[in-house]
Amino acid sequence: MNKILTLCLAALFAAPALAADGGFNPDGKAPPPEDQKDGYRAVTDNQQLTATHQLAQLSTGTWVTLQGNIIRQTGKKTWELRDRSGTVQLQIDDGVWQGQEVKPDDLISVNGTLLRHGKTLLIDVKKLHLL
């Protein structure tokens, strides 16, 4: 009986550690835009890098790679990414986090496809990496 009780208590205390899903943690402060070293980089089919102001000229479905800081959550599965030249909305499904916890002061790289909703640009993130 004592062993069963000990095993149950160990499972109870270990469960939160095993359930770490990762995601965005709003603790911390993103660096000001002028202090960010890297910016948006979009990769098109011919592997040319594109500046932020050129994202609006890319077609829907274009594969892009972006670097910056997630500064806030804007919806259930949407976040805002900022670099020194601007911001863009990210859509990140739960599985993409892969247990990583990202804070506003963490520089990240995301890969995904460019989507348009009216005049709003949105990146459907497929991979996210802490840098």
Side-chain angles (χ1 to χ4, degrees), residues 5-20:
L5 181 60
T6 304
L7 184 59
C8 288
L9 286 174
L12 179 67
F13 289 114
L18 296 174

Side-chain angles (χ1 to χ4, degrees), residues 85-105:
S85 59
T87 63
V88 69
Q89 294 294 310
L90 304 177
Q91 177 179 314
I92 307 173
D93 291 330
D94 295 337
V96 174
W97 296 103
Q98 296 183 355
Q100 301 175 96
E101 181 179 282
V102 177
K103 295 181 181 180
D105 55 346

Side-chain angles (χ1 to χ4, degrees), residues 54-96:
Q54 295 172 318
L55 284 175
Q57 298 169 354
L58 296 175
S59 60
T60 296
T62 302
W63 184 261
V64 295
T65 300
L66 309 171
Q67 287 186 350
N69 299 83
I70 295 179
I71 56 173
R72 66 187 178 102
Q73 187 168 3
T74 58
K76 185 175 179 179
K77 292 189 177 193
T78 57
W79 289 265
E80 185 174 0
L81 181 118
R82 181 182 75 194
D83 73 351
R84 66 187 322 195
S85 59
T87 63
V88 69
Q89 294 294 310
L90 304 177
Q91 177 179 314
I92 307 173
D93 291 330
D94 295 337
V96 174

Side-chain angles (χ1 to χ4, degrees), residues 40-42 49-58 83 85-87 116 121:
Y40 290 133
R41 291 188 291 181
L49 298 179
T50 306
T52 302
H53 66 278
Q54 295 172 318
L55 284 175
Q57 298 169 354
L58 296 175
D83 73 351
S85 59
T87 63
R116 295 176 187 277
L121 297 177

